Amino acid sequence: MKLNDLQPHPGATRERKRVGRGIAAGQGKTAGKGHKGQKTRSGDRTLPPFFEGGQTPFHLRVPKRGFTNPNRKEFTAVNVGVLNRLFEEGAEVTPETLASKGLCARNDPVKILGDGELKKKLHVKAHAFSKSARKKIEEAGGTCEVIGR
C-alpha cells in the first residue's frame, strides 16, 4: 500500500450539495433557505435561545423586585424551649449534639432563639444567640459561648 493508493471506503463520503444552480438542480433560487428573513442572509448570525425577533425579551418585560444579598449568613434556628425538652440538667449543648438529635445539619451554623421556657442549667455553645435566649440561659444558671464558624 502506498500513500497515493489511500482512499475512503466506498459510501463513506458524499458529494457536496451544490445549491443555487438553477431550478432543475432541486436547490435553486432560494438554495434551501426559504424566503427572506434574518436566517436567509449570509454571515454569522447565530441567535441566542431567548431571542424574540426584536420584541422586548421576556426577562426584560417582567417586573423586578427586591435584592438578594450574596453574602447572607443562613443560621439554623433552635429555640430554648426545645433545649429544655431534649437535654438533661448540666448538659453541654453544641452544634454536634444538636445535629445528633436531628435539629440541624452537621455543618450548619446554629443560632439559639428565646422562644419557650428554660428551667435547666445548660452550657450552650452556638454561632449566635438572640438577646432573649442569652438572658433566659443565664437566668437559669447556664452559660452562653459564641463559637466561630
Side-chain angles (χ1 to χ4, degrees):
M1 179 175 272
K2 298 179 184 139
L3 283 177
N4 64 333
D5 292 337
L6 289 177
Q7 60 184 22
H9 292 294
T13 59
R14 287 182 172 195
E15 292 275 324
R16 180 174 65 90
K17 186 187 282 189
R18 298 179 70 230
V19 297
R21 294 295 183 272
I23 297 171
Q27 291 291 323
K29 192 176 172 237
T30 56
K33 291 188 175 270
H35 293 275
K36 301 185 182 177
Q38 185 171 26
K39 293 177 185 171
T40 68
R41 312 299 183 192
S42 64
D44 185 20
R45 284 186 174 83
T46 55
L47 299 172
F50 48 82
F51 183 69
E52 298 183 27
Q55 171 177 304
T56 303
F58 183 73
H59 72 280
L60 294 177
R61 277 181 281 154
V62 296
K64 284 115 183 121
R65 296 275 186 273
F67 169 77
T68 303
N69 184 0
N71 300 318
R72 173 181 162 84
K73 290 180 187 155
E74 296 238 4
F75 290 95
T76 299
V78 179
N79 285 304
V80 291
V82 176
L83 300 181
N84 190 58
R85 199 164 17 101
L86 293 178
F87 290 94
E88 299 300 318
E89 180 81 28
E92 182 177 60
V93 180
T94 63
E96 288 77 25
T97 57
L98 292 171
S100 67
K101 304 242 184 204
L103 292 173
C104 66
R106 193 156 294 281
N107 297 326
D108 283 358
V110 176
K111 182 170 184 174
I112 307 297
L113 303 179
D115 189 33
E117 293 287 322
L118 183 64
K119 296 176 179 155
K120 297 176 184 172
K121 179 180 176 182
L122 298 173
H123 179 67
V124 184
K125 295 181 179 179
H127 298 94
F129 293 88
S130 69
K131 288 179 187 176
S132 60
R134 185 179 293 275
K135 182 180 172 190
K136 287 182 182 181
I137 292 169
E138 289 171 352
E139 281 178 357
T143 58
C144 298
E145 185 180 331
V146 176
I147 56 176
R149 195 161 186 194

